Amino acid sequence: MAITTRQTEGFTMPELEYLAQNESIVIVPLHRMERIELVRGTVGPFRPPQKTSVPLWLAIMLKRTNRCRIVAPKWLKHEHLRDLNKSEEQPDAMFTKLPTYYLEIAHMLLTFAEDDLVESQGIRRLLQDLREVRQSKTMEGLRMLNSLQLQMDNLSMAEINEIRPLFGHSFDMLRQLDGLAQATETEQQQSQFADQSYAEMDDAFGSRYVH
């Protein structure tokens, strides 16, 4: 199957946010509302102050019309982000498992529901720190790239998207170089085999004509 330009170059941030909008998030409704029929199922009924889970796009829509309060996910809380940063900064630490669209979700919540996030400015700083630490680890992983595989578990979609162009081109070049190395090795083996065969023939013919 042919690789498209989009698969090679990646997605834009708005496109990734569009994909992230179907992720679930918890809200606290501020008004009574009946069930809402969606393409992927039914949500509700909404009865304050009972929490309920809805797609992110619906949570943002309800928030913007003052019909709900969004509950911050555990990973987006200040204390948890601080601990994540400490864990990521440990020597030889693996990437911490985070939601696939954690950067996109965080950006949308900080944009549309900042008042629902405790210590929002601190959250912004910690997210930036976390992003920089993980970027540094990603670049270190790329330096160890080989023609067989690149294994960096728990990268988010945005982080994969950032390295996709560089990784794709680098991986192709490494595979080409590996192919050239294998071809050179094959030629050397064939040359050695030919030299050995000629030597054996000389010995055989020489011994035959001695008598």
Side-chain angles (χ1 to χ4, degrees):
M1 183 174 64
I3 298 177
T4 64
T5 301
R6 174 52 53 85
Q7 288 174 316
T8 302
E9 296 181 354
F11 298 89
T12 64
M13 188 62 176
E15 288 171 332
L16 289 175
E17 288 187 355
Y18 175 79
L19 296 173
Q21 287 180 11
N22 284 317
E23 297 295 303
S24 295
I25 196 161
V26 176
I27 66 168
V28 177
L30 301 179
H31 303 280
R32 291 175 63 90
M33 293 177 285
E34 299 307 316
R35 290 185 175 88
I36 300 176
E37 298 291 338
L38 303 176
V39 174
R40 298 191 177 186
T42 303
V43 295
F46 303 93
R47 299 290 184 264
Q50 183 178 341
K51 296 179 181 179
T52 188
S53 181
V54 300
L56 180 58
W57 66 265
L58 179 58
I60 291 174
M61 185 186 74
L62 294 174
K63 173 65 179 180
R64 297 182 72 177
T65 54
N66 297 316
R67 296 182 182 180
C68 82
R69 177 174 62 82
I70 295 177
V71 178
K74 179 182 178 181
W75 57 266
L76 193 54
K77 294 182 178 179
H78 189 275
E79 297 81 3
H80 193 73
L81 284 173
R82 184 182 56 203
D83 293 340
L84 282 178
N85 272 286
K86 291 180 180 179
S87 177
E88 291 277 358
E89 291 171 352
Q90 295 299 315
D92 301 322
M94 303 294 289
F95 287 94
T96 304
K97 185 173 179 59
L98 285 162
T100 303
Y101 296 102
Y102 85 93
L103 287 170
E104 296 85 349
I105 294 172
H107 180 259
M108 286 187 281
L109 292 183
L110 285 165
T111 300
F112 299 109
E114 184 173 3
D115 58 320
D116 288 336
L117 304 177
V118 180
E119 298 185 73
S120 61
Q121 292 305 311
I123 288 174
R124 288 181 189 274
R125 289 191 295 271
L126 288 170
L127 278 170
Q128 182 61 33
D129 292 343
L130 183 63
R131 180 178 173 83
E132 291 175 357
V133 170
R134 289 170 69 95
Q135 282 179 330
S136 177
K137 291 165 68 172
T138 301
M139 296 308 297
E140 183 62 30
L142 286 175
R143 294 190 188 99
M144 296 184 288
L145 180 68
N146 62 62
S147 60
L148 298 178
Q149 67 174 349
L150 170 65
Q151 182 172 351
M152 287 190 285
D153 298 330
N154 299 327
L155 288 181
S156 72
M157 188 60 68
E159 291 162 344
I160 293 173
N161 194 62
E162 285 180 341
I163 67 171
R164 189 191 301 269
L166 177 61
F167 168 71
H169 295 312
S170 300
F171 195 74
D172 287 342
M173 291 180 64
L174 283 171
R175 294 186 66 178
Q176 292 174 9
L177 291 172
D178 188 57
L180 288 173
Q182 290 180 358
T184 300
E185 182 179 357
T186 300
E187 291 177 358
Q188 291 175 346
Q189 291 175 347
Q190 290 174 343
S191 176
Q192 292 173 357
F193 176 77
D195 293 342
Q196 181 179 357
S197 298
Y198 286 133
E200 292 174 350
M201 290 173 63
D202 288 342
D203 291 341
F205 291 141
S207 60
R208 178 180 299 177
Y209 291 109
V210 168
H211 302 288

